[in-house]
Amino acid sequence: MTANRPATKILVDGGNPEETTRIKNLLGFLDGQTTNPTLVAKNPEVQQRIASGRKLTLEEHKDEYRRIVRKISPLVGPAGVSIEVFADFDTTAEDMLAQGKEMFSWIPNAYIKYPCVREGLRAAQISVESGIRVNMTLCFSQEQAAAVYAATKGSREPVYVSPFVGRLDDRGENGMELVENIKKMYQAGDGHVQVLAASLRRLEHLLYSFALGAELATVPAKILEQWASAGFPLPERSFHYQAVDSKGKALAPIAYKRIDLTAPWESFNLKHELTDKGIERFVQDYKSTLKSAA
Ligand code: E4P
């Protein structure tokens, strides 16, 4: 049995090409893949190297990342493979851009992930002008998504924005409501930014992403296996999303804000605690694979 293909494109959220192959066989298709520094650090071959005391140099890390995405690239459809630049709080747009340019040349279907911070937005603006596809990651607010829209206006390629549902849920906020709010806000736009529901933790997150009409969803293999075991259901018209955490406690609502998408991107408040924490965690996981602190 293969999956009922939803309108939402399905990406696997991982860093292991063997898992990608397994999921593609399970579903009968796979639209794309997202990777990030944490997922690369969890790659079995990277793990094996570290366990045997052979941590990576910066150059070796890059080689490993390239090797991983080159294996994944031909396995997936047009939603492509998202590759994330290294970014800490000191990384400039120019530095991110230099990495993005190089990573974009690794495979023909790359999307470059930049964080939703000022320098990431600057890098994205220049990237889309030079035809580099982007996926704006660590998005936790409607303002950040508005800034993504404004900074990439005119892009010839679809731009992805990734609201992180599960990490909002983890702190008691209804992450799916952020997806819903961004979708609603973008109705006033020109459609150049596509919503990629990310950090999904439960099958209900996936089903509600379908129901909300998210253009894409990136999903851990485990959740896609649950979807398969349940017979690949698609949400009924009457689908009701239960906004509760893993213990059944109600999640706090995230209010919709009226935002003018035509405002300059620099005018939006880009600050979000979880974006900063997300950067810290990616830096930590990246450095955990390296010989010495880079
Ligand atoms: C998306 O591109 C990210 O890789 C991912 O969805 C993060 O999920 P997590 O919150 O489970 O780490």
Side-chain angles (χ1 to χ4, degrees):
M1 181 178 180
T2 53
N4 299 310
R5 204 159 179 165
T8 299
K9 293 196 175 77
I10 296 195
L11 291 73
V12 70
D13 200 18
N16 177 2
E18 281 169 28
E19 179 186 75
T20 308
T21 304
R22 195 178 78 239
I23 294 299
K24 186 181 179 181
N25 291 338
L26 183 69
L27 268 56
F29 72 93
L30 191 57
D31 295 304
Q33 170 122 10
T34 52
T35 65
N36 68 37
T38 306
L39 296 168
V40 171
K42 284 184 185 161
N43 172 278
E45 288 171 44
V46 172
Q47 283 284 308
Q48 218 172 23
R49 276 190 71 134
I50 294 166
S52 62
R54 291 178 297 124
K55 284 193 167 187
L56 307 164
T57 62
L58 287 174
E59 213 43 46
E60 285 170 340
H61 185 281
K62 200 160 64 178
D63 291 347
E64 276 299 313
Y65 203 174
R66 190 173 43 226
R67 181 189 62 78
I68 292 168
V69 298
R70 280 195 173 153
K71 278 193 181 167
I72 293 169
S73 167
L75 300 172
V76 302
V81 184
S82 291
I83 313 172
E84 187 151 346
V85 300
F86 170 83
D88 63 14
F89 299 110
D90 298 324
T91 312
T92 62
E94 289 68 25
D95 187 0
M96 290 189 210
L97 190 62
Q99 295 179 62
K101 273 189 183 156
E102 184 179 350
M103 289 165 157
F104 195 70
S105 74
W106 288 353
I107 51 172
N109 51 353
Y111 275 76
I112 302 304
K113 284 172 98 176
Y114 297 117
C116 281
V117 294
R118 196 187 143 74
E119 294 305 293
L121 265 292
R122 279 213 303 126
Q125 188 173 34
I126 306 169
S127 292
V128 300
E129 279 164 11
S130 42
I132 294 174
R133 290 177 292 269
V134 302
N135 172 359
M136 300 308 292
T137 193
L138 291 169
C139 174
F140 292 98
S141 76
Q142 221 189 298
E143 285 98 318
Q144 289 175 332
V148 168
Y149 179 92
T152 59
K153 204 160 166 34
S155 174
R156 290 180 298 277
E157 300 276 0
V159 167
Y160 299 163
V161 65
S162 296
F164 273 37
V165 172
R167 296 191 195 183
L168 284 162
D169 280 17
D170 289 345
R171 67 169 201 180
E173 293 175 53
N174 181 7
M176 284 309 302
E177 213 161 10
L178 175 62
V179 175
E180 191 173 351
N181 292 345
I182 296 172
K183 283 290 297 174
K184 185 172 167 187
M185 174 175 71
Y186 283 172
Q187 276 170 17
D190 58 13
H192 80 277
V193 186
Q194 301 190 349
V195 177
L196 197 175
S199 179
L200 303 185
R201 304 258 197 278
R202 305 191 285 129
L203 182 54
E204 287 73 18
H205 284 154
L206 179 61
L207 297 180
Y208 197 37
S209 299
F210 295 161
L212 288 174
E215 285 84 357
L216 314 108
T218 187
V219 197
K222 198 176 81 184
I223 309 290
L224 290 170
E225 281 157 359
Q226 285 173 18
W227 187 44
S229 303
F232 301 110
L234 296 180
E236 304 281 330
R237 282 178 85 86
S238 59
F239 177 80
H240 174 69
Y241 175 68
Q242 294 269 12
V244 291
D245 68 12
S246 53
K247 294 184 186 110
K249 189 167 171 259
L251 296 166
I254 298 178
Y256 179 74
K257 292 184 183 161
R258 291 175 69 90
I259 292 179
D260 177 10
L261 286 175
T262 64
W265 71 263
E266 296 89 342
S267 67
F268 295 112
N269 176 14
L270 295 172
K271 202 75 194 152
H272 197 287
E273 193 194 342
L274 291 182
T275 303
D276 290 351
K277 280 194 174 160
I279 288 175
E280 277 164 18
R281 192 164 120 196
F282 284 152
V283 169
Q284 209 177 15
D285 289 336
Y286 171 72
K287 287 189 174 172
S288 74
T289 64
L290 298 181
K291 275 205 167 99
S292 59

